[in-house]
Amino acid sequence: MAASHRKRSTRLLRQSVVKVMAVTDPPDYGQPWQTLGPESAVGSGAIIETGRGNRILTNAHLVEHHTFIEVRRYGDANKYVAEVEGIGRAC
């Protein structure tokens, strides 16, 4: 593989990676009328193409019980508010 092709492939891969920053507020199962309080979590995600356009795929445990989610693309200082469309724990 030529060096220029490797550099291009690496650049394209980096462009598809995002940092996911979530604020979660998990339930307190011992006292169901309360929550455990807000916590922050950070993880990664990948931009994927779907029939409905580009989406971000990340781990369910990162966004479960979320109250607020932001994402930041590799090499971009801007943060963007995101929303969860679905969680597949069994996946």
Side-chain angles (χ1 to χ4, degrees):
M1 185 184 296
S4 63
H5 182 69
R6 273 196 306 271
K7 285 182 183 179
R8 183 174 178 269
S9 294
T10 302
R11 185 172 27 90
L12 289 174
L13 286 173
R14 285 182 180 158
Q15 289 175 350
S16 68
V17 174
V18 295
K19 182 176 187 177
V20 180
M21 297 150 288
V23 176
T24 62
D25 197 6
D28 182 346
Y29 295 111
Q31 299 176 7
W33 55 90
Q34 293 184 352
T35 63
L36 295 175
E39 302 172 354
S40 61
V42 177
S44 61
I47 299 172
I48 59 170
E49 258 185 62
T50 72
R52 297 184 324 173
N54 290 346
R55 297 292 188 264
I56 296 171
L57 181 65
T58 190
N59 290 303
H61 70 269
L62 178 60
V63 294
E64 190 171 41
H65 308 300
H66 71 283
T67 57
F68 184 72
I69 299 172
E70 285 183 318
V71 296
R72 185 172 61 87
R73 225 175 178 166
Y74 178 85
D76 186 354
N78 297 316
K79 295 178 185 174
Y80 303 93
V81 175
E83 60 185 56
V84 173
E85 287 189 355
I87 295 178
R89 289 171 196 85
C91 299

